[in-house]
Amino acid sequence: MAAPTPIEPPRRPEDFPAAFADAWARRDGAAIAALFAEDAEFVNVTGLWWTGRDAIARPHDYALKSFFAETTLRPGRVSVRQLGPQHAVVRCRFHMDGQRAPDGAEAGPRQTILIFVLERGASGWQAVAAQNTEVMPGQETFLARDGLSPTSYRRG
């Protein structure tokens, strides 16, 4: 993988989601990975667990140049919890549209919540860990039966 794309690290934890969305808009996995520490970990929405900047860059680069090539990723609600002067947890609800289905048709809009664990370095904040969770409105859990499907146990 090529060296990380130069990108200015956010100066405040609350700026991290916008920096992530800006890197996404570049359609460059290395730009996303540049926001992460060299040994960072990232768990994607399907539970794939990547360790290291190169491992984070490769699948993002593939997706951003294929089925996410026409997507728009917009940060929504952001919460920040400082864990001292050098660490913070940032949660952001992201809204995405423009994904392509395997048959090439446009898929519907999605929402996810990304959790970033940040560490402050000399030049700004970097993620040391991230986890992405799909938002499934009205659902309570997943049910494994002939595949995995979102499920609600409430009636009415």
Side-chain angles (χ1 to χ4, degrees):
M1 182 111 248
T5 300
I7 189 165
E8 175 105 9
R11 303 306 292 171
R12 304 175 314 156
E14 55 267 32
D15 298 332
F16 198 89
F20 187 88
D22 289 345
W24 182 281
R26 291 184 188 197
R27 305 287 187 252
D28 180 359
I32 287 179
L35 294 168
F36 288 80
E38 187 60 46
D39 62 347
E41 296 184 356
F42 190 114
V43 178
N44 86 342
V45 71
T46 64
L48 296 176
W49 190 345
W50 305 312
T51 301
R53 194 179 278 151
D54 285 345
I56 293 167
R58 277 191 300 277
H60 279 98
D61 199 60
Y62 164 73
L64 289 167
K65 288 178 171 56
S66 57
F67 54 91
F68 287 156
E70 299 172 31
T71 55
T72 301
L73 186 68
R74 295 176 316 281
R77 177 181 172 193
V78 175
S79 75
V80 176
R81 180 169 185 148
Q82 287 288 154
L83 302 176
Q86 301 302 113
H87 297 90
V89 175
V90 177
R91 287 179 178 82
C92 179
R93 181 181 298 253
F94 282 97
H95 304 269
M96 184 180 73
D97 54 34
Q99 179 178 347
R100 290 290 164 190
D103 67 1
E106 185 171 341
R110 293 173 52 190
Q111 292 183 48
T112 67
I113 296 175
L114 258 160
I115 300 171
F116 302 100
V117 178
L118 304 183
E119 184 173 65
R120 186 192 338 236
S123 61
W125 292 86
Q126 279 191 319
V128 295
Q131 182 151 351
N132 197 0
T133 302
E134 191 75 23
V135 175
M136 304 298 296
Q139 305 302 305
E140 297 171 302
T141 189
F142 287 94
L143 182 66
R145 183 183 293 160
D146 297 323
L148 193 62
S149 58
T151 301
S152 175
Y153 287 84
R154 298 171 195 249
R155 301 277 185 230

